[in-house]
Amino acid sequence: MKQKPNLSFWKLWNLSFGFFGVQIAYALQSANISRIFRTLGADPHDLSFFWILPPLMGILVQPIVGTLSDKTWTRFGRRIPYLFVGAAVAVAVMCLLPNAGSLGLRSVTYVLIFGLFALMLLDTSINMAMQPFKMMVGDMVNEEQKAKAYSIQSFLCNAGSVVGFVFPFLFAWIGLKNVAPDGVVPDTVVWSFYVGAIILILCVLYTTLKVKEWPPKEYAEYNPSTAQKEEKANWFTLLKNAPSTFWTVGLVQFFCWAAFLYMWTYVVDAVSLTVWGTADPKTEAYQEAANWTGILYAVQAVGSVVWATVLPRFGNRKMAYTVSLVLGGLGFALIPFCPDSYLQFIPFILIGCAWAAMLAMPFTFVTNALQGYGHMGAYLGLFNGTICLPQIVAALCGGTILHIVGSDQSHMMYVAGGLLAVGAACVFLIKDRK
């Protein structure tokens, strides 16, 4: 078997650069979806239900994309065609979703249904565009450079997040309207999605033009055992034969992604209640709080970038993962105790520590454990279920839990912190293959 060659920094960079644009789109979604639906008229107790369909589609689409891309060979590459199609669909939906309240639909119910359908397509297309980047690293990067490759992805991910998160605040600062008639999304959000869509397609085009995936013969030379094993297998067989690390990392993922689902769903109202004293989306104060939440997300992303440089300094990857999740859980719990807008930087920096570990650690553990198993794309597609399933479960339970904690959305941050603490405890179950 030929050894995969070392790639230059810029080849590793080009391999993942499109991730920058994809993450801008993902940041705009995660920071503004609850704001959009609250503005369109959604009740807080129903808010989590709007997050069910996106991960449900992801858990179905990702294994399909992974399996099909394992078997796809075109002159454009193996994974890149799926990357490009996903990005193109995301661009179209990003132009539609923030305009749901401006299309002349007859009732709030119709507006919310249209928004829900658009959100489902957006999350599906973003995941379709995002996953090939993970697969290409698994295909083309050797073991020695894999951690570096995923670190570059983590940096681009967080850099893209910062850009996407600050867009509404920036557009309000330059003079775009941050308030709108009832049921209509403000211009600051609409134009954030427009500009994000343009950057997304440009970044994906860059990676498409710069990266040349190995043709079948060359791929087989670097991955002979993988190529042989990829002839026949179904998802149930793959899951049955998956290494134990696949499942233990998945357990950690369950609690982590449930926690972040509750942050994305409730943090705008939590910050607005804690700092501005209101959760009424019709008020200017609420929209100002929503813009500031984008800045807090950007602080989280910066904290994540800094913490990503600290993670390799840990002698033990499991300890690094555990400490990161504990810090993130503490950050969630601190949000209701910070009544000043700038004081909120502290919890979000801590949350960024958990986010850095969640972006890099799971794929490092799993791709190392999968060496020699074949079907890398299918396995990573199935592994996406450990991201989607917890979000579905958390979304189904969100309204009930909100009632239990007194219908105070700031209290949902305590729930998120507790979930991360449980995830940290589960890290010790992982068997790390060096």
Side-chain angles (χ1 to χ4, degrees):
M1 180 179 73
K2 290 177 63 176
Q3 295 297 315
K4 295 178 183 178
N6 283 331
L7 301 179
S8 68
F9 171 83
W10 288 112
K11 286 187 177 181
L12 293 173
W13 177 272
N14 293 340
L15 198 65
S16 296
F17 183 72
F19 209 67
F20 175 79
V22 173
Q23 193 60 32
I24 289 177
Y26 191 71
L28 286 168
Q29 173 190 284
S30 59
N32 293 285
I33 286 305
S34 287
R35 174 187 188 176
I36 288 173
F37 281 103
R38 289 282 282 127
T39 302
L40 295 178
D43 183 273
H45 294 89
D46 298 330
L47 201 56
S48 66
F49 293 126
F50 292 95
W51 291 88
I52 294 175
L53 277 180
L56 179 62
M57 293 302 296
I59 204 172
L60 295 174
V61 170
Q62 286 303 322
I64 294 174
V65 170
T67 301
L68 291 179
S69 66
D70 280 340
K71 302 174 182 178
T72 297
W73 294 104
T74 72
R75 65 190 184 94
F76 301 106
R78 188 184 204 194
R79 316 293 186 184
I80 285 178
Y82 297 90
L83 159 65
F84 188 82
V85 170
V89 174
V91 166
V93 179
M94 288 174 72
C95 295
L96 286 174
L97 176 58
N99 290 300
S102 307
L103 299 177
L105 298 176
R106 289 181 294 176
S107 70
V108 172
T109 300
Y110 290 147
V111 171
L112 293 176
I113 290 174
F114 176 86
L116 180 60
F117 180 73
L119 175 59
M120 176 187 69
L121 289 178
L122 179 59
D123 197 85
T124 300
S125 57
I126 288 175
N127 276 290
M128 185 177 178
M130 185 183 298
Q131 202 69 4
F133 291 105
K134 305 288 186 184
M135 297 173 187
M136 286 192 292
V137 171
D139 288 343
M140 302 176 67
V141 179
N142 61 34
E143 290 301 306
E144 180 185 347
Q145 291 189 302
K146 191 171 289 181
K148 182 178 180 180
Y150 282 129
S151 294
I152 291 173
Q153 279 196 5
S154 180
F155 170 80
L156 290 167
C157 172
N158 285 291
S161 294
V162 170
V163 174
F165 290 145
V166 303
F167 270 165
F169 182 88
L170 176 63
F171 287 141
W173 182 72
I174 65 175
L176 290 185
K177 291 184 178 179
N178 195 43
V179 292
D182 289 352
V184 177
V185 176
D187 288 347
T188 50
V189 178
V190 174
W191 279 96
S192 295
F193 274 75
Y194 288 167
V195 175
I198 294 171
I199 297 175
L200 166 61
I201 199 63
L202 290 176
C203 291
V204 168
L205 281 172
Y206 178 88
T207 288
T208 301
L209 295 173
K210 288 290 186 178
V211 174
K212 302 298 180 185
E213 295 185 76
W214 292 328
K217 183 178 179 181
E218 189 173 0
Y219 177 84
E221 291 175 351
Y222 289 115
N223 305 274
S225 60
T226 299
Q228 292 169 7
K229 290 182 179 181
E230 287 182 352
E231 292 179 2
K232 290 183 180 180
N234 59 54
W235 295 344
F236 297 105
T237 301
L238 293 176
L239 290 173
K240 179 181 177 182
N241 296 327
S244 62
T245 301
F246 182 95
W247 299 106
T248 51
V249 175
L251 180 63
V252 178
Q253 290 271 86
F254 183 91
F255 295 105
C256 293
W257 286 94
F260 272 81
L261 186 281
Y262 287 144
M263 180 183 76
W264 297 326
T265 305
Y266 299 110
V267 77
V268 173
D269 284 49
V271 170
S272 187
L273 280 167
T274 303
V275 181
W276 276 264
T278 181
D280 184 356
K282 297 178 182 179
T283 63
E284 185 175 351
Y286 180 90
Q287 297 298 335
E288 184 180 345
N291 283 353
W292 187 254
T293 302
I295 296 298
L296 295 176
Y297 276 132
V299 170
Q300 171 200 319
V302 172
S304 182
V305 170
V306 174
W307 189 249
T309 65
V310 176
L311 288 175
R313 301 178 185 275
F314 280 84
N316 185 301
R317 280 191 293 225
K318 289 169 61 174
M319 183 57 66
Y321 201 4
T322 302
V323 170
S324 301
L325 297 184
V326 169
L327 291 174
L330 178 62
F332 280 131
L334 284 175
I335 288 175
F337 291 97
C338 298
D340 180 79
S341 58
Y342 289 98
L343 195 59
Q344 288 282 342
F345 285 1
I346 296 173
F348 278 84
I349 289 172
L350 296 175
I351 293 169
C353 297
W355 186 243
M358 286 169 59
L359 290 176
M361 292 296 183
F363 286 97
T364 300
F365 287 127
V366 171
T367 55
N368 284 347
L370 287 173
Q371 291 306 309
Y373 275 75
H375 300 278
M376 180 68 75
Y379 268 119
L380 291 183
L382 291 168
F383 187 68
N384 189 67
T386 66
I387 295 174
C388 298
L389 184 60
Q391 293 182 66
I392 294 170
V393 174
L396 287 171
C397 300
T400 301
I401 296 175
L402 181 59
H403 276 295
I404 292 173
V405 297
S407 296
D408 187 331
Q409 294 173 78
S410 63
H411 292 172
M412 293 300 289
M413 300 302 100
Y414 302 144
V415 176
L419 288 168
L420 274 191
V422 175
C426 292
V427 170
F428 293 99
L429 300 175
I430 299 172
K431 292 182 179 179
D432 185 12
R433 173 179 169 178
K434 300 297 181 182

